[in-house]
Amino acid sequence: MPNIVLLHVKQEQLKWRMGVTRRRRRLPREPRPLLQELLESCDTAVMAAWLDAEGIDENTPFLIAPDATYDAQMNGHWISARMAGASRHTKWGSAREMRTFCDFLWNHRPSVPAGAEGTGYGAIMRPRSWRDATVRDREVYEFWRCDDPRGSRLVGSSWNHAVTMADGFYKWACNPLRKYADENPIEQRPSRRRQGESGRSSSKGGETAANKRPNARRKKVVWLTPEQYRTWRDTGIRGYLPTGVKDPAFRGKLTARNAAYSDLMVRTGLRLEEQSALTLFELPDHDGLSAYYRFWLPEEIAKGGSCRDIYIPDGGLRSIVDYVEIDRADAVARAQAAGLYEAVEDKLIVEPGSDRVRIGDEWHQVADLDAEERLRLFTSTEHGLEPAALWLAEDGMPLTLHTWKWVFREASRRCRRLGVKIHCHPHALRHSFAVVTLEQLQRAHLESLAQMEAAQRRHYRMIWGDPLDWVRIRLGHASLETTQQYLHTLRELEMQTRLLLVPDLWEHPDRRYLAEMAKAVEAEECRTLEDAWNEDSFLAEEWA
């Protein structure tokens, strides 16, 4: 029986489940009933010992089949050397894409024989697994996710991401050293090296996925002008009305903390995960004598290992120091009085008078700890333990990324309720920093170059470089091509400005001009509206 392309795939009850390994709290944040029952049936100590013995780190994703089986070969991908240097988000993204693909194969593709007895009548069949995937399965899967009118309708860039994740998995599984699968359902083509590109993906004789779509749209850069940002912050976070008056009905808490957080992000371009992982050890000393203060973003919390210097303006650092000395200190005192910090399991305590912490039998610098370890990092004070994390909740515990996303969503919702049509998310503030900073640097750069001779301009570029590259370093981009998206934004901004300066005479005059001509007709009864249009110099005035 030939395969039939599905016009619509319904969500079935039996699904592949995704979990994340944890030593103490091993359940996902929102566990599904099947997965929760499976994991809770396991002894915590036994599971922790097994994870340690297998070398499986915390926050490593794993998949469980609909029949509650754990495929050791499949889950070995996320602890393999291929994924060793990948970020947590890359691993989770790969697991989510494979979960979706496995769901599709399990529930919506033809079953396969359970053994070697053939496919005749009465043969025992089983659901199709990732080992049985063929090129035809991938073709039907692509139709469902991209072209089915009632399907997911993925855009080209999202489908290309899914293909990249699946291709990486199957190249690992089909490796001759493992041979977990016989066929890679992702068709291949010879990789092409772009100008200035190097690395494994562009090496001679390499192959890459051939099933990517060419309609991968360039994402629109969402950014705010300084005035728009202040309006969004004051209305959405600080609780003011659009008129600039404090809203007596506003019940938001820790507004100083939230405003300091958003100010830091819009003035430095830090990513949400990078900024949320900061500790008091990264906070520079504020002496009030500098316009900008610099601190080092460690490699362990920088995306892709893009460690770099971060520059904080004086006003932004002053707001953070005020938060630390007032709101944060109050939250810490309440938590210490309630004994919350003593109850935290697997605490990492910094050695007094240093920035070292003991993990097992080894000493490590605070800068070497990742984001998850920093949530368990404490310092000893005369009043007891205190978290090293910079951003704390009202109960004195470190904030999670989900909490910050919720803060931004609520601020934008409040703006919308009050008629302020400004929506902002964390990455929009990063875009705002890039666009505004690049525009400022370009102005100063061009002004300096205009006053120099050719040799001086050459020397200037050698010393100071290109503003675009400086912004690239501040944002932590590995490639200059990624930063160039902000040049497109500046070009669009320049064209909008020019269009405002050019009069538009292609359309008929608007009602304002018609009203002026009607008044002229009333004043001179011998003229008609057509006479006024033909004889008056409206066009000449426009061009003048």
Side-chain angles (χ1 to χ4, degrees), residues 18 61 63 77-78 83 87-100 145 161-162 164-166:
M18 175 182 168
L63 298 184
H77 173 62
W78 294 288
M83 301 293 287
S87 67
R88 178 179 59 180
H89 295 299
T90 300
K91 294 179 181 179
W92 291 0
S94 172
R96 282 192 294 267
E97 291 297 341
M98 287 305 301
R99 178 187 61 185
T100 304
R145 296 210 73 186
H161 176 266
T164 300
M165 295 293 102

Side-chain angles (χ1 to χ4, degrees), residues 151-224:
S152 304
R153 303 294 293 271
L154 293 184
V155 297
S157 57
S158 298
W159 168 252
N160 292 347
H161 176 266
V163 169
T164 300
M165 295 293 102
D167 185 49
F169 172 82
Y170 275 102
K171 282 181 177 177
W172 170 84
C174 295
N175 188 291
L177 296 178
R178 281 174 289 273
K179 248 336 185 182
Y180 295 155
D182 297 328
E183 179 183 1
N184 183 353
I186 311 298
E187 297 175 292
Q188 303 293 305
R189 64 166 177 80
S191 61
R192 296 186 294 268
R193 177 178 295 181
R194 298 178 181 178
Q195 184 177 4
E197 184 182 47
S198 61
R200 179 179 59 187
S201 63
S202 59
S203 60
K204 184 177 179 180
E207 291 184 331
T208 187
N211 302 123
K212 295 183 179 180
R213 295 204 158 198
N215 62 335
R217 67 179 70 169
R218 178 170 59 88
K219 293 183 179 180
K220 182 179 179 180
V221 176
V222 179
W223 66 285
L224 306 179

Side-chain angles (χ1 to χ4, degrees), residues 225-262:
T225 65
E227 180 63 27
Q228 288 174 326
Y229 167 71
R230 287 191 294 268
T231 301
W232 175 84
R233 178 200 62 190
D234 294 344
T235 305
I237 288 183
R238 299 178 64 191
Y240 284 81
L241 294 172
T243 57
V245 180
K246 188 70 176 180
D247 185 1
F250 181 69
R251 295 293 180 267
K253 298 180 180 180
L254 297 176
T255 57
R257 179 203 66 187
N258 298 342
Y261 186 94
S262 62

Side-chain angles (χ1 to χ4, degrees), residues 119-177:
T119 59
Y121 180 77
I124 300 176
M125 308 296 286
R126 61 170 176 82
R128 186 176 293 259
S129 73
W130 58 273
R131 294 180 180 83
D132 310 308
T134 64
V135 173
R136 177 56 179 165
D137 292 326
R138 196 272 312 157
E139 292 174 346
V140 180
Y141 181 66
E142 180 179 356
F143 173 82
W144 167 54
R145 296 210 73 186
C146 300
D147 300 321
D148 189 338
R150 295 183 296 170
S152 304
R153 303 294 293 271
L154 293 184
V155 297
S157 57
S158 298
W159 168 252
N160 292 347
H161 176 266
V163 169
T164 300
M165 295 293 102
D167 185 49
F169 172 82
Y170 275 102
K171 282 181 177 177
W172 170 84
C174 295
N175 188 291
L177 296 178

Side-chain angles (χ1 to χ4, degrees), residues 501-505 509-510 512-513 537-544:
L501 300 177
V502 178
D504 183 7
L505 299 179
D510 59 18
R512 179 171 61 87
Y513 290 135
S537 56
F538 289 105
L539 294 178
E541 291 175 2
E542 276 291 331
W543 283 109

Side-chain angles (χ1 to χ4, degrees), residues 264 268-279 281-284 293-312 366-371 374 390-391 430 472-477:
L264 178 62
T268 61
L270 283 167
R271 298 178 178 90
L272 178 67
E273 187 171 25
E274 295 171 340
Q275 183 165 313
S276 300
L278 294 177
T279 67
F281 290 94
E282 280 83 42
L283 194 66
Y293 297 84
R294 183 177 64 179
F295 73 90
W296 182 253
L297 185 69
E299 179 180 358
E300 289 298 322
I301 63 173
K303 181 179 179 181
S306 57
C307 49
R308 59 194 185 274
D309 283 317
I310 303 296
Y311 293 86
I312 309 179
V366 172
D368 297 333
L369 304 183
D370 60 25
R374 287 165 175 248
L390 175 59
W391 309 104
R430 177 173 164 85
R472 178 193 68 81
I473 297 173
R474 299 285 76 76
L475 293 175
H477 287 160

